[in-house]
Structure formats: C-alpha cells, structure tokens
Amino acid sequence: MSSSHSTHSHAASSSTAAPSAVRVRFAPSPTGYLHVGGARTALFNWLFARGHHGTFILRIEDTDQERSTLEAEEGLLRDMRWLGLDWDEGPGIGGPHGPYRQSERLPIYRKAVETLLSNGSAYPCFCSEEDLERKRQEAEAEHRSPHYDGTCLHLSPDEVKKRLAAGEPHVVRVHVPGKDYAVDDLVRGRVEWKTETLGDFIIMRSNGMPVYNFCVVVDDADMEITHVVRAEEHLPNTHRQLILYEALGRPIPIFAHVSLILGPDKTKLSKRHGATSVGQYKDDGFLKDAMINYLALLGWAEGVDREIYTRAELAEKFSLERINPAPAVFDQTKLAWMNGQYLRSMPVDELIKLVAPKLKTAWPGDSRFDSDEFIRKLTSLVLNHLTTLNDVVKEAKAVLDDAPAPVDEDARAAIAVPEVPALFTALRGEFATCPWNKDGFNAAIKAAGKTAGVKGKTLFMPIRVKLTGTCHGAELVGILDLLGREEILRRLN
RNA sequence: GGCCCCAUGGUGUAACCGGCUAACACGCGGCCCUCUCAAGGCCGAGAGCGGGGGUUCGAGUCCCCCUGGGGCUACCA
C-alpha cells in the first residue's frame, strides 16, 4: 500500500489559510559556538516569525549529555542576542510551553513514550547491542537492508511483562507502519519515502534517555510549532518524524529545509575555511546588521535587484518559498563589502561608540581618547579605509604613531626631491602661524609650495611622507587637523 | 551499499505557471574624481545555464538517464 501521507499542499502553505498564528523555533544543541550556518537558520526563523507577527521560540537540544555544555549554551545565547535575534519563548524568558531545555523535559518524553507504548505504536526491545551488531553484519553480508528484524515485536505480552518485571534492560522502538510517507517541503517541494527504507527505530535508550528524533517531535508538537525551518541535514529524519507525529496523534507542521553553507572549496563550511563562528565575526569587528543582511542573502533573494535591507525590511519581504534549495558558498569578500557599506552609512555617533573601546584598548592611558571629538575626527578621517571596526586601530596607528622613515621606494623617491628642504622650511613658518583649520592648511601649503617652487603631487607627497612615512593614506588636511599644530611642527623637524 | 537533496559566470542570486543579445551584486580590469590610497561614479571582461537524450514552433525553465557534489542511514544532534 502506498497511500501518500501529507497534510499540506504547496498552495495551502505559509501565508494563506493558516488560521493559527505562526510559531517557529530555532533548536540548537549546545555542543559548540554559534556557527554561521546555524545563525542563518535562526535568522530565517526569526524573519519569518517577525514578518508574520508570529512567535519565535528558542529551544536548547541538550539530550546528548556527553557533548552538551552550559558554557556552549551561554555562548549561543550571547551570540543570538548580539545578532539581535530575540526570542519570545525560551531560556531566560520562559513561556507557556516550557521548559525550553530538553534536559529538563524528561518527564514529558517519558509520558509520550507511555502513550505510544499503550496505543500499540511502540514496544520494548530487549535485544542486546551485540546481537544487533551481529545481525547488522549478517544482513550486510547477505546484501539485505540492515534494519531491525522485529524480534521483540513478536514477543508475547506475557513474556514482555515478565522480562520488564525482571528489570531486563531494554530500549523502546516505534513500529513503523507499512505505508509510504511524503512531505511537501516549502523549499524542496514534495519528498517521498518508501516504507521499506526504514526499520523500527529506537525512541528511548536503555538508560531511559529519549532520542533526538523523538524529542523534536514531542517538543514541536507540544510547543505547537507551525513551521519547522531547519537545516537540510534533517530532511531524511523527517520520515521518522512523520511517523511519530502520526503515532502521537498530533498535527504535522509545515517543513522548510534550508541547504547547507559551504566553504570556498564547496565542502561543508568548517574551521579550516577561516572564521565560522558568529562570535569570531563579532570579535573581528563586523557589524551585526551587516552580518544579518549578508546572511539573509545567502540562499534567499527577494527577486529584485537589491542588496541592502534593514532587518525590518527583511522581515517584511522574507518568504520561505523563495529560499534557494542549492547549497551556498560563504563569501567573506562580499561580507567585507557589506560591512563597509554599513560602516559608512551608519550615524557617526553610533560608530564612535563602537570604535572608542577598541582605541582605548590599543592606546591605554592616552588622554586624547578621552575626547569624543577627537575620536570622531579620527574615525571620520579613516572611515573610507575601513572594512571592519577593528581596522580603525590599524588605520589610526598609521596617522597617530610617530612617522617612520619612508617605508618603501615610492616614499623615498617622493621625499628625495631637491626642493624639499626649502619646502619644509617654508611650511614650518606657515604652519606656525596659519589658522588651524582646513582653509588655513590649504593656504599654508599653497604658499609654501610657491616659495619652494613645487605644486601638485610634488608638493603634497613629501609632506605626506614626512608626516606618515608613506605615500598612501587619509586626506592630508584631515591629518593636520587631527594631530594639531604642535605635533605637526615636531614631525616636520 | 540503500535512501534523500542539490546543480545558472570565480562567488551570492534573478529570469513569473517555457518565448529576449541570460539580469543584478561581490570580486576582477579600465576610466573619472583626486596630493596618494581608500571611498564614490562610469564602462568593461566573465555563464549560453553539469553532460546526454527527449517533449515542444520554441527549454536554463517540463520529462528521462548519466555525472558530479552533499546529507541521512547511531542506544549523535
């Protein structure tokens, strides 16, 4: 029998009917930092919730006691907060469907297991791991699918009772119905599974801990999740989950499986490709809004020629149906460009708030940084050279630190002009008295150039090199203004 | 091995339920602006849509096969 089992058609999907309000969740397992892939999944959920006046839930999937740590959980929450992906229900907030940490929901899972046991869709299995392993190998040798053979399914009720009473160790398995399943995935379309591809699977370990595939279903059902938006790696699991929803008698949510994020070599993005954690990007000086904007465009597009969106605009335009099913390569170069765009369009007051602590750390005790005005001038001066917030330190060093000797051949050449001594002499005189503003500088430089008989590049370059050691950098008059008369005269000597 | 997903320039994407010299952005090259670099503006080079068969007057868009990636197949999540 191959009756397809699906409760949602593509057409009836997201926005239309949906009498119940949207409820989505991001369910990371706290086994490490927040990965950009996870962040993007969280973002898609968040955007969908915000765009539909729905509820965004954060749930911690920590049933793997071996690998989960509190530290990782805290890191996850911190990075989520930094990105501004605020949740309506979850850790630190609570909500009507708590607790939101799976390790605290054990009684709920046990009760669900009881339900399945008593309605006949699950049964205890006493087979030992060794037996199972042996059977698996036999099956493989004979080229049969290595599925559970159903030994314990056929135990008599009396025997089950007896062995249970004797305290024999056992797991709980779900009996897989003999029919096919299908789901209409919002990003992938219809996906089908034949019944013979799956054997009776475990939902509760012999130590009494429920298994992931079971917990998600119990939780998603209990938390009344309407749309499950998650990574593609969970797509094959959906087969088991459909069976569990059915066994539990709970409505099946709408699914949307988002593709993976790859590194430049097209393999799954990992540490060896460089920074992969959101926290790392934060520390490297990326702006959260740029990060959000970039991530949103990784696998999603509105369909118009546009790159820059505020998060409110993203929430408004975002739709699950327009997510690209193909995996996407994480392009740091484009992220860098995006960050520059945000840096330059950000109100300066906001920018200097972010930049000030970095400068104060780099120049501890330097009183110049007590002045917001100084930081503002400095930041504006180097703004066009910034890719990240952290670049401000590097750029500031170039103008603030004592000018080194000419750093390269071009610099040496620029200053090795015969008129240069005369130019500097004239310049010292002009700078000693000129009004200390841009008009004053320009007049002074022009006058000194006239005296020494140079103009244009041969006038500006020697000054630049003398003051900063290099031919490249920020606007010269801006540097003069920033450093002040005294410092400039000192460097000119 | 079995099952499932994916496939447009170097990268991210667009091209409505088939109809254009395949569009936009990043990156790249050039020009302009300019004391330089950067930023910004303009112009340009990059794909004939993984390959092969179909269907059709017409296919990147539909169907089949293949190839190549990836995922799942755990008493991991």
Side-chain angles (χ1 to χ4, degrees):
Chain A
M1 183 171 54
S2 64
S3 69
S4 286
H5 173 96
S6 175
T7 53
H8 304 282
S9 75
H10 232 121
S13 61
S14 61
S15 49
T16 41
S20 52
V22 163
R23 290 178 59 83
V24 293
R25 74 344 184 242
F26 175 55
S29 56
T31 54
Y33 50 74
L34 180 61
H35 187 272
V36 289
R40 191 250 237 141
T41 303
L43 173 63
F44 284 178
N45 274 286
W46 184 88
L47 289 175
F48 188 65
R50 295 293 169 263
H52 289 80
H53 306 290
T55 305
F56 177 56
I57 297 155
L58 182 63
R59 184 173 75 220
I60 304 297
E61 309 219 318
D62 56 352
T63 51
D64 182 352
Q65 296 161 312
E66 309 274 287
R67 297 197 298 153
S68 299
T69 69
L70 191 59
E71 203 185 352
E73 183 187 317
E74 282 163 0
L76 237 30
L77 302 191
R78 188 194 57 227
D79 292 341
M80 289 283 289
R81 290 195 184 100
W82 176 66
L83 283 172
L85 301 180
D86 55 320
W87 52 97
D88 307 307
E89 295 176 24
I93 293 180
H97 300 274
Y100 292 89
R101 211 171 268 117
Q102 288 188 328
S103 59
E104 295 167 9
R105 298 174 60 82
L106 260 30
I108 298 171
Y109 305 132
R110 300 237 161 92
K111 210 174 134 205
V113 170
E114 285 311 317
T115 304
L116 296 191
L117 244 18
S118 59
N119 75 14
S121 36
Y123 59 91
C125 168
F126 303 94
C127 297
S128 70
E129 286 194 65
E130 298 75 60
D131 281 353
L132 258 21
E133 184 52 36
R134 207 194 60 241
K135 285 178 186 171
R136 220 191 322 269
Q137 291 185 359
E138 279 172 18
E140 258 177 62
E142 293 165 34
H143 295 287
R144 301 192 323 263
S145 321
H147 294 151
Y148 180 61
D149 62 3
T151 303
C152 294
L153 174 63
H154 306 296
L155 261 28
S156 74
D158 279 350
E159 184 174 357
V160 170
K161 215 188 226 169
K162 211 188 305 168
R163 295 173 77 166
L164 247 23
E168 223 182 289
H170 64 279
V171 300
V172 176
R173 285 183 190 272
V174 164
H175 180 47
V176 174
K179 64 177 189 181
D180 299 340
Y181 286 83
V183 72
D184 285 303
D185 191 278
L186 249 30
V187 346
R188 270 146 231 287
R190 171 161 281 244
V191 182
E192 303 173 318
W193 294 273
K194 295 254 176 273
T195 184
E196 59 271 18
T197 59
L198 188 62
D200 292 356
F201 56 92
I202 293 171
I203 56 172
M204 176 117 88
R205 302 178 175 97
S206 52
N207 66 4
M209 289 295 286
V211 132
Y212 162 77
N213 274 114
F214 183 65
C215 298
V216 232
V217 173
V218 172
D219 290 344
D220 285 343
D222 186 57
M223 295 177 184
E224 293 170 6
I225 300 302
T226 56
H227 302 251
V228 173
V229 182
R230 72 208 332 178
E232 186 192 359
E233 59 194 290
H234 295 290
L235 183 54
N237 289 330
T238 309
H239 186 189
R240 296 158 195 254
Q241 294 171 8
L242 291 173
I243 292 167
L244 290 171
Y245 277 107
E246 198 176 52
L248 254 9
R250 303 304 304 265
I252 292 168
I254 294 168
F255 290 94
H257 286 95
V258 180
S259 65
L260 295 173
I261 295 183
L262 310 178
D265 60 356
K266 305 248 186 183
T267 65
K268 192 171 175 176
L269 188 67
S270 71
K271 283 119 287 177
R272 67 198 162 73
H273 293 115
T276 56
S277 80
V278 169
Q280 186 64 55
Y281 283 98
K282 173 185 186 252
D283 293 345
D284 286 348
F286 285 85
L287 297 169
K288 59 182 173 187
D289 287 335
M291 205 71 208
I292 291 286
N293 197 154
Y294 176 73
L295 251 19
L297 262 34
L298 238 202
W300 174 82
E302 187 195 349
V304 301
D305 294 337
R306 183 175 173 189
E307 309 290 323
I308 305 293
Y309 294 86
T310 65
R311 64 181 73 205
E313 289 166 334
L314 286 172
E316 187 201 329
K317 310 282 189 189
F318 183 78
S319 74
L320 297 170
E321 289 87 346
R322 288 199 63 92
I323 293 174
N324 190 143
V329 173
F330 192 85
D331 182 1
Q332 297 205 231
T333 311
K334 186 155 183 178
L335 204 213
W337 168 80
M338 181 88 61
N339 206 56
Q341 295 298 304
Y342 273 85
L343 243 20
R344 262 158 243 121
S345 62
M346 188 175 208
V348 191
D349 286 326
E350 220 173 291
L351 182 57
I352 66 175
K353 265 186 248 159
L354 297 175
V355 135
K358 293 179 188 288
L359 290 169
K360 286 174 181 167
T361 306
W363 280 271
D366 189 328
S367 62
R368 287 177 295 180
F369 296 104
D370 294 342
S371 155
D372 275 359
E373 195 44 40
F374 181 78
I375 295 177
R376 175 197 297 274
K377 272 187 186 174
L378 171 62
T379 304
S380 312
L381 184 65
V382 301
L383 184 59
N384 286 345
H385 290 249
L386 305 182
T387 290
T388 67
L389 251 19
N390 293 9
D391 288 343
V392 89
V393 172
K394 187 183 74 200
E395 293 298 328
K397 278 201 162 88
V399 302
L400 258 28
D401 286 2
D402 258 356
V407 295
D408 57 21
E409 205 40 57
D410 285 349
R412 271 189 289 278
I415 210 164
V417 174
E419 293 88 343
V420 160
L423 172 64
F424 287 170
T425 305
L427 210 49
R428 278 193 294 269
E430 296 290 342
F431 280 164
T433 56
C434 78
W436 206 251
N437 57 46
K438 295 194 178 180
D439 285 342
F441 304 145
N442 283 126
I445 291 169
K446 201 172 166 187
K450 202 165 180 185
T451 308
V454 288
K455 59 181 179 181
K457 209 166 163 172
T458 42
L459 163 59
F460 278 84
M461 269 312 140
I463 305 174
R464 171 178 291 286
V465 170
K466 182 69 179 168
L467 293 176
T468 67
T470 135
C471 290
H472 309 303
E475 184 193 34
L476 190 55
V477 293
I479 295 174
L480 299 172
D481 183 39
L482 183 76
L483 290 178
R485 198 188 305 267
E486 201 182 324
E487 175 67 9
I488 293 298
L489 289 174
R490 192 181 69 75
R491 291 191 187 190
L492 239 26
N493 269 308

